[in-house]
Amino acid sequence: MVRPIARVLLFPFAMVVLLVGIYTAAMHAPTPHHLKIAVAGPPAQTGPLTASLRRDLGDAYDVSTATSVKQARRLAAHRAVAAAYVPTPAPGDRAAGTPSTTFAQPPRPSGPLLYIASAAGATQVNLAAAPFTNAAVQQHQFLQVRDLVPLSADDTSDTSAMYAAIGLTLAGYLSAVMLSTVFGTGLTRRRTVAALAAFGAVAAITVWVITGPILGAVHGFAPAILVTGWLTVMAVGMATVFLSRFCGRMTALPAVGIFMFLGMPASGAALPIEAMPAPIRALHDLLPMTSTSGSLRQVMYFAGDGIERYWLTLALWAVVGLLLTLAYDALKARRAGRRSDTDALPRQTAAPAPSR
C-alpha cells in the first residue's frame, strides 16, 4: 500500500521541485549580462565617458554611442537600447517624452538626461539607469529621466502581458493534457486538432475580454491580440499532444516544466532576459511564452511593429508539433503492422523423425 501511495505523490513532489528550483535559480539574484545602453553626443565628449563605462561595467552592459540626441531617442523608443544617456542636453531635448514616474525628477533640470521606454520592460529600467545614476551622483548632478514610451495608466506594474501570456499558455498545455488523459487514443488526431482549435478560439476571446474590455489592462488592436492568443494555444497544445505520445498520464509534468517553469523566466516578461542565467537566456527565442508576451507588448505599446516574427515562432511550434505527432503515430502503426504480420505467420512445425 505504501508503494502505490508514494508513486502517486511523486507527481506533486516533482512539480514542487521544478517550480521552486527553476524559478529560484533563474530569478533569485538578477544580474545584467550585456544589457544594451547608449551614450549620445559628439565623439570628443562621449569617447572618454564610453571608455570609462566599458572599463568599469565589463560584460554587464554593452555600451554604444549615438552621434546625435535624435538618434539616441530613436534607439530607446525602438527598444534597440534599454536607456540612452545625454551628458549635455540642449533645452529642447528635455521636452521629449514624459517625466519618468520611477525616478525623482529635479525641479529645475540642468544636469544630464536619460531617455528610457518603460513600455519595453519596466523592470529593466532600473538596471539600465544604474550606471548613469551613479555617474551623475559622482559628478554632483541630478539625472533627469524622460520616458519616451510610458506604460498605460491601467498597466502601471507592467505585468498585464505576462499574466495574459501565462493564462494562454496554461490553456494550451492543460487542454491537451485533459484530452489525452480522458480520451487517450480514442480521440482521432483530426478531432484532437479540431478540439484544440475551437478551444483556442474560446480561450483567446475569454482572455481578451477579461484583460481588455473588463479590466482595461491589455489594450490595442483586438484582432492581433486574438490571433496571438489562438496561436499560443495551438503552439503549446500541439507540442503537448506530441509529448503525450511518450509520457502518457505524466504528460503534465514535462509540459508545465517546459512551457511554464522554463518559459516564464525565459520570456523576459517578469525580469529582463539580460538578467537571467545563461541557460535561461539560451531559451529566450525558442519557447512560446516569449512570443506570446512579446506579441502582446508590441500590440499594446508599439503598434504591432515586428509582431510577425513572434507569430511565425508560434505557428512553427504548432506545425512541428503536429508533424512530429503524425510521424510518431505512423512509425508506431508500421511497427504494429509488422508485429501483426509476424504473429499471423504459421509456426514452423518440427521435421518428422526419419523412419528406421
Side-chain angles (χ1 to χ4, degrees):
M1 188 66 180
V2 174
R3 185 171 296 176
I5 293 176
R7 197 176 294 125
V8 169
L9 294 178
L10 180 61
F11 178 80
F13 176 76
M15 293 280 280
V16 171
V17 170
L18 284 174
L19 187 149
V20 175
I22 294 176
Y23 279 8
T24 305
M27 298 186 287
H28 75 289
T31 304
H33 303 275
H34 298 285
L35 184 61
K36 295 181 180 180
I37 55 178
V39 178
Q45 181 186 61
T46 60
L49 176 59
T50 302
S52 175
L53 287 172
R54 287 172 178 167
R55 182 181 63 252
D56 296 339
L57 300 177
D59 293 335
Y61 295 83
D62 283 347
V63 186
S64 60
T65 58
T67 56
S68 68
V69 177
K70 183 178 180 180
Q71 182 188 11
R73 286 198 296 266
R74 186 168 59 252
L75 291 173
H78 288 82
R79 304 171 59 177
V81 297
Y85 181 72
V86 185
T88 56
D93 299 333
R94 301 185 185 278
T98 60
S100 171
T101 57
T102 306
F103 302 88
Q105 299 299 300
R108 297 182 182 85
S110 59
L113 177 64
L114 185 69
Y115 290 122
I116 62 169
S118 58
T123 54
Q124 74 177 2
V125 168
N126 288 328
L127 288 176
F132 303 117
T133 302
N134 295 336
V137 169
Q138 291 173 3
Q139 297 173 11
H140 305 287
Q141 295 176 315
F142 206 123
L143 181 66
Q144 183 187 9
V145 183
R146 302 291 294 185
D147 199 340
L148 300 176
V149 190
L151 293 166
S152 72
D154 296 312
D155 185 35
T156 55
S157 65
D158 191 29
T159 56
S160 300
M162 179 184 71
Y163 287 129
I166 289 174
L168 292 166
T169 301
L170 177 67
Y173 74 75
L174 198 54
S175 59
V177 167
M178 293 302 295
L179 288 173
S180 63
T181 301
V182 174
F183 296 101
T185 57
L187 195 64
T188 64
R189 288 189 302 267
R190 182 174 298 179
R191 289 187 176 182
T192 299
V193 174
L196 285 175
F199 180 76
V202 172
I205 294 172
T206 302
V207 170
W208 171 73
V209 169
I210 294 173
T211 60
I214 294 178
L215 299 176
V218 174
H219 53 86
F221 188 50
I225 296 174
L226 295 177
V227 170
T228 297
W230 185 79
L231 284 174
T232 300
V233 175
M234 292 302 294
V236 177
M238 290 312 307
T240 303
V241 168
F242 175 64
L243 288 175
S244 70
R245 297 302 195 261
F246 299 92
C247 304
R249 294 182 179 180
M250 297 297 289
T251 302
L253 188 60
V256 74
I258 295 170
F259 300 118
M260 189 68 72
F261 296 159
L262 286 172
M264 202 275 281
S267 70
L271 290 174
I273 189 60
E274 293 87 356
M276 295 290 101
I280 298 296
R281 296 200 305 273
L283 298 173
H284 176 65
D285 293 324
L286 300 177
L287 296 182
M289 195 180 291
T290 298
S291 295
T292 305
S293 59
S295 295
L296 294 175
R297 188 181 295 277
Q298 294 299 98
V299 173
M300 291 169 65
Y301 295 111
F302 299 95
D305 182 39
I307 198 174
E308 296 83 6
R309 67 184 181 93
Y310 292 128
W311 285 357
L312 178 60
T313 300
L314 293 173
L316 285 174
W317 269 93
V319 172
V320 171
L322 175 59
L323 292 178
L324 289 176
T325 301
L326 292 173
Y328 177 85
D329 289 351
L331 181 61
K332 187 176 180 179
R334 184 179 301 175
R335 288 179 176 176
R338 290 177 180 174
R339 192 179 299 114
S340 298
D341 293 341
T342 303
D343 293 342
L345 290 176
R347 295 183 180 180
Q348 184 178 1
T349 57
S355 59
R356 295 181 179 178

